[in-house]
Amino acid sequence: MPSAARRHRALIDSLTASGALGDRRLAAAFRAVPRHFFVPLHGAATASGSPLDADRAPERWLDAAYADEPIVVQVDDGDPRRPEGVPTSSCSAPGIVARMLEAARLQDGHRVLEVGTGTGWNAALLAARLGDDRVVSVEIDPEVLEGARAALVRAGRTPRTVRDDGESGYPEGAPYDRVIATCAATRVPRAWIRQTVKGGLVVLPWTAMEGAGVLARLTVHGDGSASGPFLGGLGFMPLLSQRPPPAAAPPPEAEPDETRLLHGPDPVAPLTRFPSAFGVTAAVRRWRMGLRAVPGGAGRQLWLVSSDGESWARVVPSGTAWRVEQAGPRSLWDEVEDAREEWRALGGPAPERYGLTVAADGGHRVWLDTPDGPGWDQE
C-alpha cells in the first residue's frame, strides 16, 4: 500500500525531526512497524468521535492512522462502573508512544513486561527493538487481546501475549528489566516492582486523581522500594482494577453547612490549568471535582466531592464575587485553598519538578525536586 508507506515514512520523519524519537534503535523499530496494521478497518474513531472506515473512506482512515493523534478502538467494555459512551481502549498517539518508550531507556538484551496490550502496536515496537522473545504483553480484555493478536500476525511480530489482569504483572516471565504500563495507576502495584530487577525501571502514567496524569519513571531499589521523577503530563485510561466509580456532583438542592463569599481573581481557573491543578491534586487526598453549568444562570460552577461521598463543596459565580458552599466532616474547599497557597509559596512548580517514591510497604509519597524534599503522602 504505497499511500500507507508514504504516510508512515512522513510520520517517523516528523517524530525524529521534532526530537520525540532520539534513540536511533528505537526509531528503526518505529520504521519497521506500520501503525495502520493496528487500526481496525471498521469501528474505530478519532479522538473527536469521527468514525473511521477503511472501505468507505480509505484515505481518511489512513490519514488518521498516521496522524499524531490517538484512535479510539473500543467504547464501553461492559464495566458497570463506567458511564456509557466512554472510550475504554485506544491506539495511543505516536508522539506519546515514542515519549514513553524513550523514557524506558531500552537497551539490547532487556526483557520487558508491557501491562495493557491494547491494539498491540506498542508490543510490536518493543519486539522490533528488543526481539520477540524479550517481550511479554498482558491484556485483561479478551476482545481487545484477540484484535491485538491478529494485528501482530499482520505485522509479522510474535511477542508473548497473555490474557490476565495486568495488576498482578506476569510472574512466570519475571524478572524483567523494564515494566511499561499503557494504563494509568494511582497506586503502583507491588507486583510490578517485585518483578523488576534491581536498578530496572517501571514506566507508567501515574495520577493522583483521574484527569491529572503524569509520566513516571521509577527506579527499583534493592529494599523493594522504587522512586523516580515525573516527566510531564499525559493522560491514559485507568488500570481496570483502579477505575474510580463515577463521581456524582452534589445535587443543586443540597444544603451547605457553611457559605461564604470570595472576592478577587477567579478561584476556579487554577483548577482548570494543569500545572496548578496537579500541585493541588497531589496535596489533597481522596477527592474528585468537576464543572457544570450554573442552574438557571450564566457561567459554570466547580463542584468537589470526597471519595467516600460524605463531604462536598461548590464554588458558584455570584455577581462580581464567588459563593463557596461546603458540607460534611471535611471542609474540601478549605483543603484545596490551602494546597493552592502552598503550591504558590513553593514557587508554582511545574509537574516535572515532582516525583514519586513507593516504599517497600506500599506507601506512596509525592515529593518536590528530590525524594528528601517537601512531600505529600498519598492514600
Side-chain angles (χ1 to χ4, degrees):
M1 192 180 293
S3 182
R6 185 170 58 250
R7 287 172 168 86
H8 181 199
R9 185 167 55 253
L11 172 64
I12 309 309
D13 287 347
S14 174
L15 292 175
T16 54
S18 69
L21 266 177
D23 182 321
R24 178 181 55 83
R25 297 288 301 275
L26 190 57
F30 270 77
R31 293 191 186 278
V33 182
R35 188 185 188 219
H36 73 274
F37 287 159
F38 300 89
V39 178
L41 299 176
H42 317 285
T46 65
S48 62
S50 299
L52 298 172
D53 191 300
D55 291 333
R56 295 182 179 180
E59 292 298 306
R60 186 170 179 278
W61 179 83
L62 276 176
D63 284 344
Y66 289 104
D68 193 8
E69 298 288 343
I71 295 175
V72 176
V73 300
Q74 184 191 68
V75 176
D76 298 333
D77 61 2
D79 185 348
R81 295 172 295 178
R82 305 291 282 181
E84 292 184 3
V86 174
T88 47
S89 185
S90 69
C91 188
S92 298
I96 294 295
V97 173
R99 183 175 160 203
M100 290 190 70
L101 294 181
E102 287 273 352
R105 296 176 173 172
L106 300 169
Q107 300 292 327
D108 293 350
H110 276 172
R111 299 192 68 257
V112 176
L113 171 66
E114 179 193 35
V115 178
T117 310
T119 64
W121 186 44
N122 198 65
L125 293 168
L126 286 166
R129 170 62 184 87
L130 300 170
D132 294 282
D133 62 339
R134 314 299 292 179
V135 179
V136 178
S137 185
V138 179
E139 172 60 53
I140 195 170
D141 188 300
E143 181 180 339
V144 170
L145 183 58
E146 181 182 357
R149 284 172 169 167
L152 286 164
V153 169
R154 288 194 296 273
R157 305 308 321 186
T158 58
R160 185 171 189 177
T161 56
V162 180
R163 184 191 168 193
D164 208 341
D165 183 352
E167 185 171 35
S168 301
Y170 188 64
E172 184 177 327
Y176 305 99
D177 299 284
R178 301 289 186 265
V179 172
I180 300 174
T182 62
C183 46
T186 299
R187 308 293 297 181
V188 181
R190 295 292 306 146
W192 298 0
I193 297 173
R194 285 197 302 267
Q195 293 171 27
T196 303
V197 300
K198 178 183 176 181
L201 300 177
V202 177
V203 177
L204 76 150
W206 183 84
T207 178
M209 182 174 68
E210 191 175 17
V214 286
L215 177 60
R217 180 174 62 211
L218 308 180
T219 300
V220 173
H221 308 300
D223 63 356
S225 66
S227 63
F230 295 143
L231 305 175
L234 82 174
F236 270 74
M237 298 168 191
L239 186 68
L240 182 62
S241 59
Q242 295 187 18
R243 283 180 179 173
E253 66 274 12
E255 290 293 331
D257 296 335
E258 175 196 352
T259 300
R260 70 177 187 269
L261 284 179
L262 296 178
H263 298 274
D266 179 355
V268 174
L271 293 176
T272 65
R273 295 191 288 263
F274 181 67
S276 49
F278 179 80
V280 170
T281 57
V284 180
R285 306 174 188 174
R286 307 184 312 280
W287 68 298
R288 306 280 291 283
M289 69 177 183
L291 293 167
R292 67 181 178 190
V294 176
R300 58 184 181 173
Q301 66 171 254
L302 172 76
W303 57 265
L304 306 89
V305 63
S306 60
S307 298
D308 61 9
E310 297 294 320
S311 303
W312 60 266
R314 288 190 291 248
V315 183
V316 186
S318 179
T320 59
W322 299 78
R323 186 176 72 255
V324 174
E325 303 172 344
Q326 50 189 354
R330 295 175 60 186
S331 298
L332 278 178
W333 180 250
D334 292 352
E335 292 183 29
V336 167
E337 278 193 316
D338 290 345
R340 190 176 61 198
E341 288 305 312
E342 182 181 28
W343 177 79
R344 287 174 175 165
L346 290 168
E352 292 84 354
R353 287 181 55 192
Y354 292 83
L356 177 68
T357 292
V358 182
D361 64 3
H364 284 50
R365 180 178 182 269
V366 171
W367 39 262
L368 181 64
D369 293 329
T370 69
D372 296 327
W376 302 265
D377 291 333
Q378 307 293 299
E379 292 185 5

